[in-house]
Amino acid sequence: MIAGLVTGTSAGGRREMDATGVANVDTGEPITPETVLHVASLTKPVTCAAFVTVAPELVDSPVVEVMPQLIGTWRVSPELTPRDLLSHRSGLRNDLDRDALAQFGSGDDALARAVGLVVSSPPAEAPRTVWEYCNAGYWLAGHALALLSGATFESAVAQAVFQPAGMVGSGFEPMPGVCGHRSRKPMEPGYLRARNPGSGMFSNVPDLLAFAEHLLDSPAVLTAMTKVSVATPEGTWYGLGCHLADREASIIWHRGTSFSGFKSCLLIVPQHRYAAVALTNDFDGDPAIDDFLRVSLAEATGLGLPWKPAS
């Protein structure tokens, strides 16, 4: 039995939500649909939506043009674009460990300092030669978004996505009293501000359904995120911050895994104006997430999951 599970669906804007379990096994506080959890890599589609909202014309332009102050130490490709960064085709090294990032602290300059270290290191591959999941690419894209917005990354996302979508409970700070678990034992939290563009968001089920509805009501943003895609080693496709069941983007999804004991998944079926989300504060929660999504997706659309469910 996992610690807690929160689920929700939106079908044509009509929402249903449910929750079971606890926010913290030590306190026994019930988990609710409004409980804010670490959604980890579900941050990525939000970052992408923010970027294509703020600067759609720059998605295919060299990102170094946005940060000329780094030209003197720039050792990665000068042709690297936000599309490369957000589609995991950057070729960047993804090897900044926790200790390396921790040295940058939690100040407003943490992201810029991490980006400076990334671009001053030789890349692993040339851009667009290989698809490899890479959080560092999101740090660069997030820093570019901040510079373009004249704000911190977190404020830029709030202005471009949280506020228009009505995501009133989302942000980049944990909710007091809520923790992740493994084998039903609480885990120590560990959040680094430099990671925020790829995995730092905290959110809840109502907000993530609101985000999905916002995308469905924003065809230009959704098209920008799904129109151009690349094949992944898993046999699916990847757009900007989202996996695609096929090149037509009949099903869109992304998962999140936090090593502080949280799992998450958001799934959208544009043709049916349907979205489903499942969040858990338990590292062993993937089977529960997949069970919910499999059943709800089949009942609402007649479709099956585009991935092999966890067991």
Side-chain angles (χ1 to χ4, degrees):
M1 180 183 296
I2 60 175
L5 177 70
V6 190
T7 60
T9 60
S10 173
R14 181 176 178 273
R15 298 182 188 177
E16 295 184 2
M17 293 175 279
D18 194 17
T20 181
V22 296
N24 186 320
V25 298
D26 284 348
T27 65
E29 178 183 351
I31 200 167
T32 73
E34 289 73 28
T35 301
V36 173
L37 304 177
H38 187 203
V39 298
S41 283
L42 280 193
T43 310
K44 289 181 171 68
V46 174
T47 296
C48 290
F51 196 98
V52 300
T53 297
V54 170
E57 73 283 1
L58 298 181
V59 170
D60 292 303
S61 298
V63 73
V64 68
E65 295 177 359
V66 180
M67 46 191 80
Q69 70 277 14
L70 294 177
I71 288 177
T73 56
W74 195 275
R75 298 183 66 189
V76 298
S77 172
E79 299 178 359
L80 200 61
T81 69
R83 184 181 304 282
D84 299 328
L85 301 171
L86 298 172
S87 63
H88 298 299
R89 296 188 303 161
S90 66
L92 296 173
R93 295 188 181 276
N94 198 26
D95 55 3
L96 289 188
D97 60 22
R98 182 174 182 79
D99 290 340
L101 290 174
Q103 69 177 310
F104 302 133
S106 57
D108 287 351
D109 64 344
L111 179 57
R113 294 174 67 191
V115 166
L117 185 57
V118 170
V119 302
S120 65
S121 303
E125 306 283 349
R128 298 167 223 132
T129 57
V130 64
W131 188 91
E132 184 174 0
Y133 200 88
C134 179
N135 283 302
Y138 275 75
W139 308 340
L140 263 74
H143 183 46
L145 173 64
L147 293 172
L148 290 165
S149 302
T152 64
F153 164 77
E154 295 83 5
S155 294
V157 169
Q159 294 167 13
V161 178
F162 291 168
Q163 294 169 13
M167 298 171 68
V168 296
S170 297
F172 294 89
E173 296 291 338
M175 182 176 181
V178 180
C179 68
H181 302 78
R182 191 165 196 167
S183 301
R184 288 189 62 81
K185 295 180 180 179
M187 298 182 69
E188 289 292 325
Y191 312 115
L192 299 170
R193 188 169 180 184
R195 288 185 179 273
N196 278 355
S199 58
M201 191 171 77
F202 291 78
S203 191
N204 58 21
V205 164
D207 275 16
L208 290 169
L209 292 178
F211 173 63
E213 293 162 359
H214 176 68
L215 289 181
L216 291 170
D217 290 335
S218 307
V221 174
L222 188 60
T223 297
M225 292 174 62
T226 61
K227 185 176 181 180
V228 178
S229 56
V230 295
T232 73
E234 291 76 24
T236 60
W237 299 85
Y238 200 89
L240 302 183
C242 54
H243 289 276
L244 314 173
D246 46 49
R247 298 207 73 165
E248 290 70 43
S250 60
I251 302 177
I252 304 164
W253 78 96
H254 213 287
R255 303 186 78 105
T257 294
S258 165
F259 292 101
S260 295
F262 297 89
K263 294 289 184 80
S264 55
C265 188
L266 173 66
L267 178 150
I268 303 173
V269 186
Q271 185 176 359
H272 292 263
R273 291 192 62 82
Y274 173 81
V277 61
L279 310 177
T280 177
N281 59 339
D282 200 306
F283 195 80
D284 303 312
D286 278 332
I289 287 176
D290 285 357
D291 282 349
F292 166 75
L293 294 175
R294 176 180 56 80
V295 172
S296 62
L297 178 64
E299 290 179 347
T301 69
L303 301 172
L305 291 178
W307 66 85
K308 183 179 179 180
S311 57

